[in-house]
Amino acid sequence: MRRIDEMAQTQHGLDAYDLMAEAGRAIAETILKTYQPESVCVLCGKGNNAGDGFVVARVLHEMGLSVTVVCLESPSAYSGAADKAWKLLSKTKIPTVKRSKLTISLSKVDVIVDALLGTGITGPARGDYAAVIREVNAFGKEIVSIDVPSGLRELRPQEEPGDVINAALTVTIGLPKTILLTLPGSDFAGRVIVLPINFPKVLLESSEWLLNWAQGAELASWLNPRPPDSNKGTYGNVGIIGSATAYAGATLLVARAALRTGCGLASIYTVAETNAIYKTALPEATSIILDGGKYGYFDEASGKHFAASRKDHTVLTMGPGLGTALETKQFLKKVLSVWSEPLVLDADALNILSDGMLDLLKGREEVLLTPHPGEMARLTGLTVKQVQADRVGVVRTFAQTHQVTVLLKGAGTLVARPDGQTWLIPGAEPALAKGGTGDVLTGVIASLYAQGLPMWQAAVMGAFVHLAAGSRCAALFGSRGVLASEVADAIPLILDSFPQNQ
């Protein structure tokens, strides 16, 4: 946003104060619409964040509210647009008081507006600012933060947040800041409203910015209609490489989720001794029985049979419950040697690939890997801590290096394309912290691809819908007791309500 702000002025001729004035008015209108307060205290600190606060105070005053401004800096501290905003404020009858009047000022108002510290800080809030943040939080009143809650910034590995405003609402300008959509920042931000104001659309949507925010309204437009004269062939065929007897549930969850998401067919590759499990548990899925498979695991003979009996699936999934024995590795290698069409790889397929077999993916199109942080660590040779410390950088670099699409699971799921464009799906749901929910995600994504979405869109949409389904189940059953199969069964409810309610 700093770059966009600079380009808006130098390339598009927009005035810095005009941008500030428009942002301040939009924020003031949002506060009025959200809370209908009678009295407001605006806390102003440093830089342009304080300038935004001055404008907000003046606009709310013009709207008839009782407004008090608490300044932590002297007027001489401001320059540029912030100085102009201060001078216009000083011409009004709005009382501006110093830090010593903070307590009495806060006690008399309905809403507190936080314009203390913006995005420019590099360390935790210190001195008077830290003390003010603690006092404001202790009041327990509704707090609206401008751009980011004061004290919040991108954290270095192992760094603690320190003192941060606990906002009920954060109104951010232009584009959302990453820290507002990821932990721990989202815990402080409350509800986030993004106001693009009059920044040129060409700047906000430029492909120069590699990190994208997955929003429900945009994602809803990706869903294809289901015409009344359609048939099962309209919605694709998901092929699913099954698993050993002990892990048949993983395969069942992939197939169940794929069918619940709307594909026309889900076909499970299995061995004879496992087939009865699938036929009993999920009769809607078809079975393709392969030779071999000692103890229920696929082996080299199974791979040869796959090569001879494979069907024309729209997409093939492989990994959940697959196993990592030597025979299974030989099976996977054989499958990849004869299957050049779209792939979704998860779980044990990723663990096998991480053992020096990533070259098997070279030259393929429409391949998606869906690792959790542990699997991502094995694929990259990093530690889990290193992956989690730089999730965006790690997933983007891997996608570009290996020319595949990668979905990195976890709080704030990420999807990176081979060209480096990366999507953030904000949010987290503890109900999904349970075995089997990742298998459900694999089935959802494969099904969306089978229904016509490009692989990266299927991954972004799948992660968004999967998270929403988990949250819906948690609301019904509580976050502790949600089953992966219940998440799968909630998928069609989310998709049906998607265009209207997201």
Side-chain angles (χ1 to χ4, degrees):
M1 273 310 303
R2 282 192 288 272
R3 176 78 177 126
I4 288 173
D5 192 60
E6 174 190 329
M7 293 168 72
Q9 295 174 54
T10 59
Q11 297 180 15
H12 294 263
L14 298 181
D15 179 74
Y17 177 75
D18 289 344
L19 287 169
M20 181 178 286
E22 188 185 359
R25 180 165 293 279
I27 294 166
E29 290 171 350
T30 301
I31 292 170
L32 191 62
K33 180 180 178 181
T34 304
Y35 294 106
Q36 297 87 46
E38 295 182 359
S39 55
V40 172
C41 179
V42 183
L43 310 177
C44 295
K46 298 179 178 179
N48 284 342
N49 200 245
D52 292 336
F54 297 146
V55 176
V56 169
R58 187 163 50 82
V59 173
L60 290 175
H61 174 71
E62 292 169 357
M63 292 175 173
L65 277 68
S66 172
V67 180
T68 302
V69 175
V70 177
C71 286
L72 268 68
E73 301 288 340
S74 66
S76 61
Y78 303 113
S79 60
D83 179 56
K84 184 173 181 178
W86 163 256
K87 288 176 178 175
L88 289 172
L89 177 76
S90 64
K91 294 178 181 178
T92 70
K93 295 181 179 180
I94 299 171
T96 57
V97 300
K98 295 183 178 180
R99 159 78 172 91
S100 59
K101 301 292 185 180
L102 176 66
T103 303
I104 191 170
S105 299
L106 296 180
S107 65
K108 295 179 179 180
V109 298
D110 305 321
V111 171
I112 300 168
V113 178
D114 159 37
L116 291 170
L117 298 169
T119 59
I121 64 171
T122 56
R126 299 179 179 87
D128 219 19
Y129 281 89
V132 168
I133 288 170
R134 291 193 294 270
E135 184 172 348
V136 171
N137 285 339
F139 259 84
K141 293 192 176 184
E142 295 290 324
I143 304 173
V144 178
S145 287
I146 295 177
D147 226 19
V148 294
S150 290
L152 194 62
R153 75 275 178 207
E154 298 291 341
L155 299 176
R156 296 185 294 271
Q158 313 305 317
E159 184 183 13
E160 294 297 323
D163 293 302
V164 180
I165 286 288
N166 288 315
L169 172 67
T170 298
V171 185
T172 196
I173 304 302
L175 293 171
K177 286 49 179 189
T178 310
I179 194 66
L180 300 177
L181 306 178
T182 56
L183 291 171
S186 56
D187 281 345
F188 297 99
R191 180 186 172 201
V192 176
I193 293 178
V194 183
L195 301 177
I197 62 171
N198 69 341
F199 281 109
K201 195 173 182 180
V202 67
L203 293 182
L204 296 180
E205 298 182 359
S206 171
S207 60
E208 181 178 345
W209 324 126
L210 295 180
L211 189 58
N212 305 277
W213 177 30
Q215 302 175 76
E218 179 183 356
L219 269 58
S221 69
W222 297 354
L223 284 175
N224 297 321
R226 296 175 74 89
D229 61 346
S230 59
N231 57 67
K232 63 185 177 184
T234 308
Y235 303 115
N237 182 341
V238 177
I240 302 163
I241 300 291
S243 51
T245 306
Y247 301 104
T251 304
L252 283 167
L253 288 168
V254 175
R256 188 184 191 100
L259 290 167
R260 285 295 195 188
T261 305
C263 66
L265 288 169
S267 305
I268 299 173
Y269 286 89
T270 181
V271 294
E273 66 180 278
T274 313
N275 185 48
I277 298 173
Y278 298 132
K279 291 291 88 182
T280 303
L282 194 65
E284 296 86 353
T286 62
S287 297
I288 305 168
I289 299 175
L290 300 179
D291 294 336
K294 187 178 180 181
Y295 306 119
Y297 286 95
F298 294 119
D299 55 21
E300 192 170 8
S302 308
K304 291 178 180 177
H305 195 188
F306 174 86
S309 61
R310 48 166 284 193
K311 305 298 181 182
D312 292 328
H313 307 296
T314 318
V315 60
L316 185 69
T317 75
M318 184 163 44
L322 186 65
T324 58
L326 177 61
E327 295 84 354
T328 310
K329 293 180 180 179
Q330 293 169 340
F331 167 76
L332 181 143
K333 191 172 183 178
K334 182 63 176 179
V335 169
L336 293 183
S337 72
V338 299
W339 180 270
S340 58
E341 285 80 15
L343 273 168
V344 178
L345 300 174
D346 186 25
D348 282 337
L350 304 179
N351 293 327
I352 293 173
L353 289 172
S354 67
D355 189 17
M357 297 177 67
L358 282 169
D359 284 349
L360 294 175
L361 301 179
K362 276 188 176 179
R364 296 174 179 271
E365 295 182 3
E366 296 289 52
V367 174
L368 172 69
L369 279 58
T370 62
H372 58 56
E375 291 160 345
M376 193 78 236
R378 287 189 283 276
L379 286 166
T380 57
L382 301 172
T383 65
V384 173
K385 281 187 176 181
Q386 288 171 321
V387 170
Q388 293 293 77
D390 185 20
R391 285 171 58 85
V392 174
V394 168
V395 72
R396 178 181 292 147
T397 299
F398 188 92
Q400 290 176 309
T401 300
H402 297 282
Q403 287 297 288
V404 293
T405 301
V406 184
L407 182 152
L408 179 58
K409 299 171 186 174
T413 293
L414 294 163
V415 175
R417 290 192 326 204
D419 63 359
Q421 288 288 341
T422 304
W423 273 259
L424 168 67
I425 297 86
E429 177 49 67
L432 295 174
K434 189 167 293 184
T437 58
D439 307 324
V440 170
L441 178 59
T442 296
V444 171
I445 294 170
S447 185
L448 289 170
Y449 179 84
Q451 294 171 68
L453 269 64
M455 191 65 81
W456 72 268
Q457 286 190 348
V460 173
M461 173 75 82
F464 192 98
V465 171
H466 182 253
L467 176 62
S471 296
R472 186 183 183 106
C473 290
L476 291 172
F477 306 117
S479 62
R480 296 177 188 274
V482 173
L483 303 178
S485 58
E486 292 167 340
V487 177
D489 291 343
I491 295 295
L493 302 176
I494 299 300
L495 288 171
D496 281 352
S497 66
F498 201 87
Q500 293 82 26
N501 298 334
Q502 298 301 319

